[in-house]
Amino acid sequence: MRFPLHIATDMMRWQLKNWWAGNSRVPVVLMLEPLHTCNLACIGCSPERYTGDLRDRLPLSKCFEAVDECGAPVVSVCGGEPTVYPEIVELVEGIIARRKHVIMCTNAILLDRFYKKARPHKRLSINVHLDGMKETHDFVVDRAGVFDKAVAMIREGKRLGYYVCTNTTVYRETSVDEIEAMCAHLTELDVNGILLSPGYHYEAIEGDDHFLYLEEIHAKFRRILELSKRYRKISSTPLFLQFAAGLREYPCTPWGNPTYTPKGWKGPCYLIDGQHYPTWKEFFGGVDWDYWESRKDPRCRNCKMHSGFEPSVVRKLGENLGDVVTMARWQLESVRNRRAA
Ligand code: SF4
């Protein structure tokens, strides 16, 4: 994923520090879920995410403890819906005060409330969920009007001076023509980044369906890879897009984006409801990382999630000079585009 230069620099510093300390497994983005409450009930989402019960949310102190223990330079605040978290502004400000970068992932329904209380900061990105254009997105989130609200909040965020990105999951059913229309629309809105990631249903591991599914994802991402050459706001790395298109392979890096929830540290990854660990030490020392990196588990066979594999792009970069050149060009291009804007 493309980060602004000051964030990329912080991430490099963090990697060097760990390399110097001899740490081979280094978390880069903490996925912090302060609550499992949501104001939407999207199709396919687990029912526990929209209970409406705020009592099981994490207290601020536990969130900050997780940020400090994990140490990752970037914290992605997700959930549930983070703008429903009553202490969201204090949480964002507290993470920024720790000199971390915050990505707040939101469906945008309550963003106006957040904008009234918060203020833009160079360490804060607003990441709006959009799974297509109006008809598709409103269908996925199972509520009319959410697409229009999201677009209005993107506009308002840009007007107020926020760094605003979007996050799209591409499913088997998603049309790439629609993704292109969405990229054109978001480019007009001058968003700062468009993250596109393959959807993943690990329940579909029986029979031959998943092979078809994987081939379809590859075909879609071959087209998206081409789109990324025209729509420069697409922020998934070119090497990740090649992986999603089936043009290269990577081991998984599940420890790159560890997840902390009201139930504890979730292992092995954001997707698999394996086990929850009460402490960072038990989690980081307790998960069999060799096994999960290998992708031997049937649930991993078709997974191409950016949270598992964008860190692999970084981890494996030094092994191929051509890849280093590709990534350096891509990052420099984004700096040039920003200067030209
Ligand atoms: S391959 Fe996917 S499902 Fe398996 S550990 Fe990695 S991120 Fe999780």
PDB file of all heavy atoms in Angstrom, residues 200 202 252-254 268-272 292-293 295 297 299-301 303-305 307-309, ligand 1:
ATOM      1  N   TYR A 200     -12.381 -12.524  -0.161  1.00  0.00           N
ATOM      2  CA  TYR A 200     -11.915 -13.871   0.144  1.00  0.00           C
ATOM      3  C   TYR A 200     -12.951 -14.592   0.974  1.00  0.00           C
ATOM      4  O   TYR A 200     -13.406 -14.075   1.986  1.00  0.00           O
ATOM      5  CB  TYR A 200     -10.590 -13.734   0.897  1.00  0.00           C
ATOM      6  CG  TYR A 200     -10.128 -14.962   1.614  1.00  0.00           C
ATOM      7  CD1 TYR A 200      -9.861 -16.119   0.911  1.00  0.00           C
ATOM      8  CD2 TYR A 200      -9.950 -14.951   2.988  1.00  0.00           C
ATOM      9  CE1 TYR A 200      -9.429 -17.250   1.569  1.00  0.00           C
ATOM     10  CE2 TYR A 200      -9.516 -16.069   3.655  1.00  0.00           C
ATOM     11  CZ  TYR A 200      -9.259 -17.219   2.934  1.00  0.00           C
ATOM     12  OH  TYR A 200      -8.825 -18.335   3.585  1.00  0.00           O
ATOM     13  N   TYR A 202     -13.166 -18.032   2.760  1.00  0.00           N
ATOM     14  CA  TYR A 202     -12.462 -19.288   2.993  1.00  0.00           C
ATOM     15  C   TYR A 202     -13.397 -20.450   3.289  1.00  0.00           C
ATOM     16  O   TYR A 202     -12.980 -21.588   3.358  1.00  0.00           O
ATOM     17  CB  TYR A 202     -11.341 -19.166   4.017  1.00  0.00           C
ATOM     18  CG  TYR A 202     -11.745 -18.887   5.441  1.00  0.00           C
ATOM     19  CD1 TYR A 202     -12.390 -19.835   6.214  1.00  0.00           C
ATOM     20  CD2 TYR A 202     -11.422 -17.682   6.010  1.00  0.00           C
ATOM     21  CE1 TYR A 202     -12.731 -19.564   7.521  1.00  0.00           C
ATOM     22  CE2 TYR A 202     -11.760 -17.401   7.315  1.00  0.00           C
ATOM     23  CZ  TYR A 202     -12.414 -18.353   8.063  1.00  0.00           C
ATOM     24  OH  TYR A 202     -12.749 -18.082   9.355  1.00  0.00           O
ATOM     25  N   CYS A 252       2.758 -15.910   3.197  1.00  0.00           N
ATOM     26  CA  CYS A 252       1.978 -14.921   3.958  1.00  0.00           C
ATOM     27  C   CYS A 252       2.856 -14.288   5.042  1.00  0.00           C
ATOM     28  O   CYS A 252       3.855 -14.863   5.478  1.00  0.00           O
ATOM     29  CB  CYS A 252       0.768 -15.594   4.595  1.00  0.00           C
ATOM     30  SG  CYS A 252      -0.285 -14.413   5.456  1.00  0.00           S
ATOM     31  N   THR A 253       2.474 -13.090   5.444  1.00  0.00           N
ATOM     32  CA  THR A 253       3.164 -12.422   6.562  1.00  0.00           C
ATOM     33  C   THR A 253       2.101 -12.020   7.586  1.00  0.00           C
ATOM     34  O   THR A 253       1.796 -10.834   7.748  1.00  0.00           O
ATOM     35  CB  THR A 253       3.947 -11.195   6.049  1.00  0.00           C
ATOM     36  OG1 THR A 253       4.812 -11.627   4.991  1.00  0.00           O
ATOM     37  CG2 THR A 253       4.797 -10.566   7.145  1.00  0.00           C
ATOM     38  N   PRO A 254       1.487 -13.004   8.268  1.00  0.00           N
ATOM     39  CA  PRO A 254       0.351 -12.676   9.139  1.00  0.00           C
ATOM     40  C   PRO A 254       0.733 -11.807  10.331  1.00  0.00           C
ATOM     41  O   PRO A 254      -0.110 -11.091  10.874  1.00  0.00           O
ATOM     42  CB  PRO A 254      -0.164 -14.046   9.585  1.00  0.00           C
ATOM     43  CG  PRO A 254       0.961 -14.992   9.379  1.00  0.00           C
ATOM     44  CD  PRO A 254       1.790 -14.446   8.260  1.00  0.00           C
ATOM     45  N   PRO A 268      -4.470 -16.573  13.865  1.00  0.00           N
ATOM     46  CA  PRO A 268      -3.205 -16.054  13.361  1.00  0.00           C
ATOM     47  C   PRO A 268      -3.318 -14.721  12.632  1.00  0.00           C
ATOM     48  O   PRO A 268      -2.318 -14.037  12.449  1.00  0.00           O
ATOM     49  CB  PRO A 268      -2.794 -17.134  12.348  1.00  0.00           C
ATOM     50  CG  PRO A 268      -4.103 -17.641  11.798  1.00  0.00           C
ATOM     51  CD  PRO A 268      -5.052 -17.607  12.963  1.00  0.00           C
ATOM     52  N   CYS A 269      -4.540 -14.329  12.181  1.00  0.00           N
ATOM     53  CA  CYS A 269      -4.613 -13.117  11.356  1.00  0.00           C
ATOM     54  C   CYS A 269      -5.986 -12.488  11.488  1.00  0.00           C
ATOM     55  O   CYS A 269      -6.892 -13.025  12.128  1.00  0.00           O
ATOM     56  CB  CYS A 269      -4.326 -13.468   9.889  1.00  0.00           C
ATOM     57  SG  CYS A 269      -5.642 -14.439   9.135  1.00  0.00           S
ATOM     58  N   TYR A 270      -6.115 -11.380  10.820  1.00  0.00           N
ATOM     59  CA  TYR A 270      -7.347 -10.594  10.812  1.00  0.00           C
ATOM     60  C   TYR A 270      -8.552 -11.421  10.356  1.00  0.00           C
ATOM     61  O   TYR A 270      -9.662 -11.263  10.840  1.00  0.00           O
ATOM     62  CB  TYR A 270      -7.116  -9.427   9.848  1.00  0.00           C
ATOM     63  CG  TYR A 270      -8.243  -8.448   9.728  1.00  0.00           C
ATOM     64  CD1 TYR A 270      -8.598  -7.632  10.791  1.00  0.00           C
ATOM     65  CD2 TYR A 270      -8.945  -8.307   8.525  1.00  0.00           C
ATOM     66  CE1 TYR A 270      -9.633  -6.722  10.672  1.00  0.00           C
ATOM     67  CE2 TYR A 270      -9.975  -7.399   8.398  1.00  0.00           C
ATOM     68  CZ  TYR A 270     -10.318  -6.614   9.470  1.00  0.00           C
ATOM     69  OH  TYR A 270     -11.339  -5.723   9.351  1.00  0.00           O
ATOM     70  N   LEU A 271      -8.310 -12.364   9.428  1.00  0.00           N
ATOM     71  CA  LEU A 271      -9.410 -13.091   8.799  1.00  0.00           C
ATOM     72  C   LEU A 271      -9.862 -14.316   9.563  1.00  0.00           C
ATOM     73  O   LEU A 271     -11.052 -14.598   9.670  1.00  0.00           O
ATOM     74  CB  LEU A 271      -8.968 -13.560   7.402  1.00  0.00           C
ATOM     75  CG  LEU A 271      -8.790 -12.484   6.363  1.00  0.00           C
ATOM     76  CD1 LEU A 271      -8.030 -13.039   5.178  1.00  0.00           C
ATOM     77  CD2 LEU A 271     -10.144 -11.968   5.926  1.00  0.00           C
ATOM     78  N   ILE A 272      -8.901 -15.084  10.051  1.00  0.00           N
ATOM     79  CA  ILE A 272      -9.244 -16.388  10.631  1.00  0.00           C
ATOM     80  C   ILE A 272      -9.527 -16.246  12.121  1.00  0.00           C
ATOM     81  O   ILE A 272      -8.689 -15.753  12.876  1.00  0.00           O
ATOM     82  CB  ILE A 272      -8.102 -17.406  10.397  1.00  0.00           C
ATOM     83  CG1 ILE A 272      -7.987 -17.683   8.896  1.00  0.00           C
ATOM     84  CG2 ILE A 272      -8.352 -18.691  11.165  1.00  0.00           C
ATOM     85  CD1 ILE A 272      -6.949 -18.707   8.521  1.00  0.00           C
ATOM     86  N   TRP A 292       1.702 -20.689   9.472  1.00  0.00           N
ATOM     87  CA  TRP A 292       0.800 -19.761   8.776  1.00  0.00           C
ATOM     88  C   TRP A 292       1.493 -19.049   7.612  1.00  0.00           C
ATOM     89  O   TRP A 292       0.868 -18.747   6.602  1.00  0.00           O
ATOM     90  CB  TRP A 292       0.177 -18.773   9.765  1.00  0.00           C
ATOM     91  CG  TRP A 292      -0.761 -19.487  10.697  1.00  0.00           C
ATOM     92  CD1 TRP A 292      -0.514 -19.831  11.994  1.00  0.00           C
ATOM     93  CD2 TRP A 292      -2.047 -20.031  10.373  1.00  0.00           C
ATOM     94  NE1 TRP A 292      -1.574 -20.529  12.510  1.00  0.00           N
ATOM     95  CE2 TRP A 292      -2.532 -20.666  11.539  1.00  0.00           C
ATOM     96  CE3 TRP A 292      -2.846 -20.034   9.224  1.00  0.00           C
ATOM     97  CZ2 TRP A 292      -3.776 -21.292  11.573  1.00  0.00           C
ATOM     98  CZ3 TRP A 292      -4.095 -20.656   9.256  1.00  0.00           C
ATOM     99  CH2 TRP A 292      -4.537 -21.277  10.428  1.00  0.00           C
ATOM    100  N   GLU A 293       2.779 -18.806   7.754  1.00  0.00           N
ATOM    101  CA  GLU A 293       3.519 -18.205   6.621  1.00  0.00           C
ATOM    102  C   GLU A 293       3.487 -19.129   5.414  1.00  0.00           C
ATOM    103  O   GLU A 293       3.473 -18.687   4.267  1.00  0.00           O
ATOM    104  CB  GLU A 293       4.979 -17.968   7.011  1.00  0.00           C
ATOM    105  CG  GLU A 293       5.208 -16.738   7.848  1.00  0.00           C
ATOM    106  CD  GLU A 293       6.664 -16.624   8.294  1.00  0.00           C
ATOM    107  OE1 GLU A 293       7.556 -17.139   7.605  1.00  0.00           O
ATOM    108  OE2 GLU A 293       6.896 -16.011   9.352  1.00  0.00           O
ATOM    109  N   ARG A 295       1.198 -21.055   4.280  1.00  0.00           N
ATOM    110  CA  ARG A 295      -0.112 -21.123   3.619  1.00  0.00           C
ATOM    111  C   ARG A 295      -0.576 -22.567   3.391  1.00  0.00           C
ATOM    112  O   ARG A 295      -1.324 -22.838   2.466  1.00  0.00           O
ATOM    113  CB  ARG A 295      -0.087 -20.355   2.282  1.00  0.00           C
ATOM    114  CG  ARG A 295       0.285 -18.902   2.446  1.00  0.00           C
ATOM    115  CD  ARG A 295       0.592 -18.227   1.117  1.00  0.00           C
ATOM    116  NE  ARG A 295      -0.544 -18.191   0.229  1.00  0.00           N
ATOM    117  CZ  ARG A 295      -0.460 -17.913  -1.070  1.00  0.00           C
ATOM    118  NH1 ARG A 295       0.720 -17.633  -1.602  1.00  0.00           N
ATOM    119  NH2 ARG A 295      -1.518 -17.898  -1.821  1.00  0.00           N
ATOM    120  N   ASP A 297      -2.424 -24.272   5.433  1.00  0.00           N
ATOM    121  CA  ASP A 297      -3.771 -24.469   5.953  1.00  0.00           C
ATOM    122  C   ASP A 297      -4.789 -24.325   4.816  1.00  0.00           C
ATOM    123  O   ASP A 297      -4.655 -23.418   3.988  1.00  0.00           O
ATOM    124  CB  ASP A 297      -4.044 -23.419   7.041  1.00  0.00           C
ATOM    125  CG  ASP A 297      -5.270 -23.774   7.844  1.00  0.00           C
ATOM    126  OD1 ASP A 297      -6.389 -23.410   7.396  1.00  0.00           O
ATOM    127  OD2 ASP A 297      -5.116 -24.400   8.900  1.00  0.00           O
ATOM    128  N   ARG A 299      -7.593 -23.082   4.750  1.00  0.00           N
ATOM    129  CA  ARG A 299      -8.249 -21.772   4.734  1.00  0.00           C
ATOM    130  C   ARG A 299      -7.390 -20.692   4.080  1.00  0.00           C
ATOM    131  O   ARG A 299      -7.859 -19.617   3.758  1.00  0.00           O
ATOM    132  CB  ARG A 299      -8.617 -21.354   6.168  1.00  0.00           C
ATOM    133  CG  ARG A 299      -9.758 -22.161   6.748  1.00  0.00           C
ATOM    134  CD  ARG A 299      -9.895 -21.953   8.232  1.00  0.00           C
ATOM    135  NE  ARG A 299      -8.769 -22.535   8.965  1.00  0.00           N
ATOM    136  CZ  ARG A 299      -8.632 -22.521  10.277  1.00  0.00           C
ATOM    137  NH1 ARG A 299      -9.552 -21.943  11.013  1.00  0.00           N
ATOM    138  NH2 ARG A 299      -7.592 -23.075  10.855  1.00  0.00           N
ATOM    139  N   CYS A 300      -6.106 -20.977   3.897  1.00  0.00           N
ATOM    140  CA  CYS A 300      -5.194 -19.986   3.312  1.00  0.00           C
ATOM    141  C   CYS A 300      -5.061 -20.146   1.796  1.00  0.00           C
ATOM    142  O   CYS A 300      -4.530 -19.262   1.142  1.00  0.00           O
ATOM    143  CB  CYS A 300      -3.800 -20.121   3.918  1.00  0.00           C
ATOM    144  SG  CYS A 300      -3.757 -19.849   5.684  1.00  0.00           S
ATOM    145  N   ARG A 301      -5.531 -21.275   1.310  1.00  0.00           N
ATOM    146  CA  ARG A 301      -5.224 -21.648  -0.074  1.00  0.00           C
ATOM    147  C   ARG A 301      -5.605 -20.562  -1.078  1.00  0.00           C
ATOM    148  O   ARG A 301      -4.895 -20.314  -2.033  1.00  0.00           O
ATOM    149  CB  ARG A 301      -5.943 -22.953  -0.400  1.00  0.00           C
ATOM    150  CG  ARG A 301      -5.103 -23.880  -1.244  1.00  0.00           C
ATOM    151  CD  ARG A 301      -5.857 -25.123  -1.590  1.00  0.00           C
ATOM    152  NE  ARG A 301      -6.132 -25.975  -0.440  1.00  0.00           N
ATOM    153  CZ  ARG A 301      -7.197 -26.763  -0.350  1.00  0.00           C
ATOM    154  NH1 ARG A 301      -8.097 -26.796  -1.296  1.00  0.00           N
ATOM    155  NH2 ARG A 301      -7.373 -27.530   0.708  1.00  0.00           N
ATOM    156  N   CYS A 303      -6.416 -17.332  -0.263  1.00  0.00           N
ATOM    157  CA  CYS A 303      -6.381 -15.994   0.320  1.00  0.00           C
ATOM    158  C   CYS A 303      -5.384 -15.100  -0.403  1.00  0.00           C
ATOM    159  O   CYS A 303      -4.251 -15.480  -0.641  1.00  0.00           O
ATOM    160  CB  CYS A 303      -6.017 -16.099   1.802  1.00  0.00           C
ATOM    161  SG  CYS A 303      -5.768 -14.490   2.561  1.00  0.00           S
ATOM    162  N   LYS A 304      -5.834 -13.894  -0.713  1.00  0.00           N
ATOM    163  CA  LYS A 304      -4.949 -12.900  -1.323  1.00  0.00           C
ATOM    164  C   LYS A 304      -5.161 -11.560  -0.621  1.00  0.00           C
ATOM    165  O   LYS A 304      -5.094 -10.500  -1.250  1.00  0.00           O
ATOM    166  CB  LYS A 304      -5.274 -12.766  -2.815  1.00  0.00           C
ATOM    167  CG  LYS A 304      -5.065 -14.053  -3.617  1.00  0.00           C
ATOM    168  CD  LYS A 304      -4.142 -13.868  -4.779  1.00  0.00           C
ATOM    169  CE  LYS A 304      -3.498 -15.162  -5.189  1.00  0.00           C
ATOM    170  NZ  LYS A 304      -2.561 -15.020  -6.298  1.00  0.00           N
ATOM    171  N   MET A 305      -5.465 -11.607   0.653  1.00  0.00           N
ATOM    172  CA  MET A 305      -5.777 -10.371   1.387  1.00  0.00           C
ATOM    173  C   MET A 305      -4.566  -9.460   1.484  1.00  0.00           C
ATOM    174  O   MET A 305      -3.461  -9.918   1.792  1.00  0.00           O
ATOM    175  CB  MET A 305      -6.223 -10.715   2.806  1.00  0.00           C
ATOM    176  CG  MET A 305      -7.666 -11.139   2.906  1.00  0.00           C
ATOM    177  SD  MET A 305      -8.840  -9.873   2.379  1.00  0.00           S
ATOM    178  CE  MET A 305      -8.648  -8.673   3.676  1.00  0.00           C
ATOM    179  N   SER A 307      -3.806  -7.443   3.772  1.00  0.00           N
ATOM    180  CA  SER A 307      -3.216  -7.383   5.117  1.00  0.00           C
ATOM    181  C   SER A 307      -2.213  -8.522   5.343  1.00  0.00           C
ATOM    182  O   SER A 307      -1.310  -8.404   6.161  1.00  0.00           O
ATOM    183  CB  SER A 307      -4.309  -7.417   6.185  1.00  0.00           C
ATOM    184  OG  SER A 307      -5.126  -8.550   5.998  1.00  0.00           O
ATOM    185  N   GLY A 308      -2.376  -9.635   4.617  1.00  0.00           N
ATOM    186  CA  GLY A 308      -1.424 -10.737   4.751  1.00  0.00           C
ATOM    187  C   GLY A 308      -0.246 -10.625   3.794  1.00  0.00           C
ATOM    188  O   GLY A 308       0.845 -11.131   4.087  1.00  0.00           O
ATOM    189  N   PHE A 309      -0.464  -9.956   2.649  1.00  0.00           N
ATOM    190  CA  PHE A 309       0.557 -10.047   1.598  1.00  0.00           C
ATOM    191  C   PHE A 309       1.246  -8.736   1.229  1.00  0.00           C
ATOM    192  O   PHE A 309       2.330  -8.773   0.661  1.00  0.00           O
ATOM    193  CB  PHE A 309      -0.050 -10.711   0.353  1.00  0.00           C
ATOM    194  CG  PHE A 309      -0.421 -12.138   0.628  1.00  0.00           C
ATOM    195  CD1 PHE A 309      -1.719 -12.481   0.982  1.00  0.00           C
ATOM    196  CD2 PHE A 309       0.539 -13.139   0.605  1.00  0.00           C
ATOM    197  CE1 PHE A 309      -2.059 -13.797   1.283  1.00  0.00           C
ATOM    198  CE2 PHE A 309       0.214 -14.453   0.898  1.00  0.00           C
ATOM    199  CZ  PHE A 309      -1.090 -14.787   1.238  1.00  0.00           C
TER     200      PHE A 309
HETATM  201  S1  SF4 B   1      -2.967 -16.618   3.984  1.00  0.00           S
HETATM  202 FE1  SF4 B   1      -4.711 -15.276   4.513  1.00  0.00          FE
HETATM  203  S2  SF4 B   1      -5.994 -16.536   5.868  1.00  0.00           S
HETATM  204 FE2  SF4 B   1      -3.935 -17.496   5.820  1.00  0.00          FE
HETATM  205  S3  SF4 B   1      -2.808 -16.617   7.554  1.00  0.00           S
HETATM  206 FE3  SF4 B   1      -2.356 -15.374   5.739  1.00  0.00          FE
HETATM  207  S4  SF4 B   1      -3.854 -13.676   5.836  1.00  0.00           S
HETATM  208 FE4  SF4 B   1      -4.613 -15.325   7.174  1.00  0.00          FE
END
